[in-house]
Amino acid sequence: MHFPDSRRLFLRRLASLAAVPLLAPACSRSQAPEGDGRASSASPQGSAPAAPSQSAPAAPAPNAPAAKVKLALNWVPEPEFGGFYAARESGAFAKEGLDVEILGGGAGVPVVQMVAGGQVDFGISGADEVLTARARGADVLPLFAVFQTSPQAIMTHESRGAKSIADILKSGTLAIEPGLPYAAYLKKKYGFDKVKVVPYDGGVARFVADKDFSQQCFITAEPIAAKRKGSDPAAFLVASEGFNPYVVVVITRAALWKENPERVRAFVRATREGWRTYLQDPARSNEIMAKLNTSMDAETFVAAAEAQRPLIETTETKEKGLGVMTSERWETLAKQLVDLGVLEKAPPIDEVLVAAR
């Protein structure tokens, strides 16, 4: 995992949403890893071979040809996408009659726009991006939320003794992209008048060198990198402060849902089964993703997969199933984005979740 560049580009993508006429490009690195050999020459990234699923109420006929579909990731192959690769490797996709080509993210790849325009059948986005896109006319629908708790966090040094983000904002230096929704939320809640705010540079070098330095991070990324460099990171989730959009959300276009709802349901069933498999044992999928993303070593794959587990598997998902989304969570996020000025008017949540019921 190349934490600095990847996360910086992801955050800048989110920050640019308000300035883009319709849709923002997907988060990505300047160079994405090579594909797995199945992508066509037109594919921006490597594909994932087909794989079968379990628990398919309407299984396809035994001799029916698999339906070819494309899934566009908004990032390079990493543990946050492990369940999709597990669905391929375990046979979950193929069992549902799907031949899924996984397209990894790259610089400037506009996943939401690709889904809305029919270039791909499914894509990965964030809940705040979905609401922003729909408010601007993109008819995309969320289907499945991998991260129930957003991994966005503020990282400081354990030696500072901070017990919360509020403590971090009382002194020192904070590297953050101020235009991001979560940053605006924190500023409105606590104010940034007691902390020196500087641009986020995408790395952890300054953090390691300066005990009074704090920075934005993904709890599954930069803290792992800083700790491996001998530092003492302590990270606090922004979700704990009340701003908690779903992350790694599977989306499709409304037209596909209307034309072939069973294919959409089949994809969701296989995805859920793939994530169950990955959470039980990520080793095989990590091995596959490591071949596609050589910038991330095996030790980091293991650490990131373990760090993200409690953000994906929660009390609610144990009761209602992995990927569950509630209208209450979406309505809360929509109100927050309006309150922060990210959205002028929130789209009707019942229409947003029409394919997720």
Side-chain angles (χ1 to χ4, degrees), residues 149-228:
T149 302
S150 171
Q152 188 66 61
I154 301 297
M155 180 172 74
T156 192
H157 290 270
E158 189 174 334
S159 59
R160 290 184 65 188
K163 303 298 181 183
S164 66
I165 290 177
D167 291 339
I168 297 173
L169 299 179
K170 291 178 180 177
S171 63
T173 299
L174 173 66
I176 195 169
E177 295 278 356
L180 298 175
Y182 83 89
Y185 178 85
L186 292 178
K187 184 176 182 179
K188 184 171 184 177
K189 185 173 183 177
Y190 294 116
F192 287 171
D193 54 309
K194 295 179 181 179
V195 66
K196 180 182 178 182
V197 176
V198 299
Y200 173 63
D201 67 5
V204 297
R206 186 172 175 186
F207 177 86
V208 173
D210 187 349
K211 294 295 183 181
D212 290 322
F213 189 85
S214 303
Q215 68 176 70
Q216 66 184 43
C217 71
F218 267 46
I219 204 164
T220 57
E222 286 89 347
I224 296 173
K227 189 171 183 179
R228 292 185 66 182

Side-chain angles (χ1 to χ4, degrees), residues 9-347:
L9 289 168
F10 171 77
L11 296 166
R12 286 184 175 172
R13 172 180 61 82
L14 291 179
S16 68
L17 281 173
V20 179
L22 176 62
L23 302 167
C27 56
S28 58
R29 284 198 186 96
S30 57
Q31 288 292 329
E34 293 299 322
D36 63 6
R38 296 185 68 254
S40 67
S41 59
S43 299
Q45 200 43 243
S47 65
S53 158
Q54 304 160 35
S55 49
N63 297 321
K68 294 183 179 296
V69 299
K70 293 182 179 181
L71 167 66
L73 306 182
N74 61 354
W75 209 251
V76 296
E78 293 184 352
E80 65 195 80
F81 306 123
F84 304 109
Y85 287 93
R88 179 194 77 179
E89 294 303 312
S90 69
F93 283 136
K95 209 177 232 183
E96 290 286 355
L98 301 174
D99 181 0
V100 180
E101 182 180 3
I102 301 177
L103 309 180
V109 178
V111 173
V112 177
Q113 188 172 356
M114 291 167 67
V115 173
Q119 294 171 266
V120 296
D121 305 282
F122 302 95
I124 302 301
S125 184
D128 47 353
E129 186 178 3
V130 170
L131 290 176
T132 303
R134 283 191 62 87
R136 291 174 179 168
D139 205 7
V140 293
L141 302 172
L143 304 170
F144 183 101
V146 175
F147 280 78
Q148 299 292 303
T149 302
S150 171
Q152 188 66 61
I154 301 297
M155 180 172 74
T156 192
H157 290 270
E158 189 174 334
S159 59
R160 290 184 65 188
K163 303 298 181 183
S164 66
I165 290 177
D167 291 339
I168 297 173
L169 299 179
K170 291 178 180 177
S171 63
T173 299
L174 173 66
I176 195 169
E177 295 278 356
L180 298 175
Y182 83 89
Y185 178 85
L186 292 178
K187 184 176 182 179
K188 184 171 184 177
K189 185 173 183 177
Y190 294 116
F192 287 171
D193 54 309
K194 295 179 181 179
V195 66
K196 180 182 178 182
V197 176
V198 299
Y200 173 63
D201 67 5
V204 297
R206 186 172 175 186
F207 177 86
V208 173
D210 187 349
K211 294 295 183 181
D212 290 322
F213 189 85
S214 303
Q215 68 176 70
Q216 66 184 43
C217 71
F218 267 46
I219 204 164
T220 57
E222 286 89 347
I224 296 173
K227 189 171 183 179
R228 292 185 66 182
K229 290 181 179 294
S231 191
D232 62 336
F236 299 88
L237 289 168
V238 176
S240 299
E241 301 294 336
F243 189 78
N244 186 27
Y246 292 115
V247 177
V248 186
V249 177
V250 178
I251 62 174
T252 191
R253 64 187 182 281
L256 180 58
W257 167 248
K258 292 173 183 176
E259 295 165 7
N260 200 333
E262 180 50 36
R263 181 173 297 175
V264 173
R265 293 189 187 103
F267 188 89
V268 171
R269 288 194 298 266
T271 293
R272 182 171 289 112
E273 186 61 29
W275 274 104
R276 287 195 197 103
T277 299
Y278 186 76
L279 290 171
Q280 289 169 3
D281 184 5
R284 174 56 180 161
S285 297
N286 282 349
E287 180 182 342
I288 297 298
M289 291 187 289
K291 294 177 181 178
L292 305 175
N293 179 7
T294 56
S295 67
M296 184 174 181
D297 60 38
E299 183 180 344
T300 303
F301 263 104
V302 172
E306 187 60 30
Q308 73 183 19
R309 180 185 298 274
L311 308 181
I312 296 170
E313 192 172 35
T314 66
T315 300
E316 187 170 27
T317 64
K318 289 176 182 178
E319 294 176 355
K320 301 178 181 179
L322 292 170
V324 63
M325 300 184 295
T326 67
S327 57
E328 292 78 13
R329 285 275 302 271
W330 282 90
E331 287 168 356
T332 295
L333 176 61
K335 290 176 182 177
Q336 290 174 326
L337 294 177
V338 171
D339 186 48
L340 295 171
V342 176
L343 295 180
E344 187 174 318
K345 182 181 179 182

